[in-house]
Amino acid sequence: MSGLKLSGWLVGVVSSLAFSISSVAANSSKSSEKMLFDFTTVESVSDWTEMSDVVRTVGMSKAALTLQKTQVFQRAVFFSLLNPQPNGAGFAGVRKAVQLDLTGHTAIKVRARVQGPNLHYKMVLRHKGEQYEPFPTYENFFTAKPNEFEEINLPLSEFKAYYRGKPMPDAEPLNLSQVSSVGLQVYGGVYSEQKQAGPGSMEIDWIKAV
Ligand SMILES: *[C@@H]1O[C@H](CO)[C@@H](O)[C@H](O)[C@H]1NC(C)=O
Ligand SMILES: *[C@@H]1O[C@H](CO)[C@@H](O)[C@H](O)[C@H]1NC(C)=O
């Protein structure tokens, strides 16, 4: 090979390598992130339904997810009113039936702002189409920053099984390939140190899997 031919060949190899590396990088950054609910563009949130403590005889709490459309932006607002029992038992939440395969993702991210006295929330998942008794829920607890938009990161490995608020360490783990319900809840704190009650709001831009 002459010097000229060799350098031409090298330029070809290097530029095709650079091309394939950059296209792989572009793809992996895209494919590792999946928009689950984009409240800045959805038409409606009527497929989110309330799941609050009124499913029990003594329950008195209330929750609603509603779409806020201003002249310039749109997002969802999760309003809650927690009326817990004296021991802190009580919850208010919303949820949506889904068919999600989150295999390959490591966390769920929520861009939101919490205002009001209640900062302790949880995300509640179900899998395999399981409903109510006797199945556990898979819950990840978080504490929001007051009054500030933030990207709340909820590692999928930290969704643990609970039944009526009690940890169920022996339950089957969450099957990421068959997530069938996604929900958000604010809770009174029957099993935790911090108790909370009263009105709350969470303004939500989007929920993603990353
Ligand atoms: C990106 O990755 C997905 C699977 O992860 C694949 O199906 C798709 O063909 C890839 N796209 C490009 C442009 O490489
Ligand atoms: C999750 O469900 C899929 C589909 O039914 C199954 O193939 C897989 O083995 C399950 N994973 C676990 C960890 O149970």
Side-chain angles (χ1 to χ4, degrees), residues 73-206:
F73 68 84
Q74 172 181 318
R75 60 173 67 109
V77 189
F78 166 33
F79 287 110
S80 56
L81 177 60
L82 259 178
N83 285 326
Q85 306 302 307
N87 69 356
F91 62 96
V94 292
R95 63 172 191 165
K96 177 176 155 70
V98 293
Q99 268 192 302
L100 285 177
D101 182 354
L102 299 181
T103 312
H105 296 281
T106 57
I108 294 180
K109 257 193 191 170
V110 183
R111 179 173 156 79
R113 171 171 64 186
V114 168
Q115 299 189 73
N118 300 331
L119 300 177
H120 307 293
Y121 282 78
K122 60 190 178 183
M123 180 170 277
V124 180
L125 303 180
R126 286 182 176 274
H127 69 183
K128 307 200 299 190
E130 291 172 353
Q131 302 287 338
Y132 315 110
E133 325 289 311
F135 301 110
T137 48
Y138 296 86
E139 307 186 355
N140 192 328
F141 292 71
F142 61 93
T143 300
K145 280 187 199 151
N147 309 324
E148 223 179 279
F149 271 99
E150 58 180 325
E151 292 189 9
I152 299 156
N153 192 57
L154 303 169
L156 287 167
S157 60
E158 288 170 21
F159 280 85
K160 303 293 185 204
Y162 290 82
Y163 182 72
R164 294 195 163 194
K166 279 194 195 134
M168 300 287 285
D170 297 332
E172 176 189 7
L174 176 65
N175 189 317
L176 289 181
S177 73
Q178 303 185 70
V179 174
S180 54
S181 170
V182 174
L184 283 166
Q185 276 182 22
V186 61
Y187 55 93
V190 63
Y191 295 110
S192 61
E193 293 289 303
Q194 74 269 340
K195 310 284 180 200
Q196 52 183 7
S201 69
M202 179 188 281
E203 297 155 274
I204 313 169
D205 279 335
W206 45 251

Side-chain angles (χ1 to χ4, degrees), residues 23-24 27-28 31:
S23 63
V24 166
N27 198 11
S28 68
S31 63

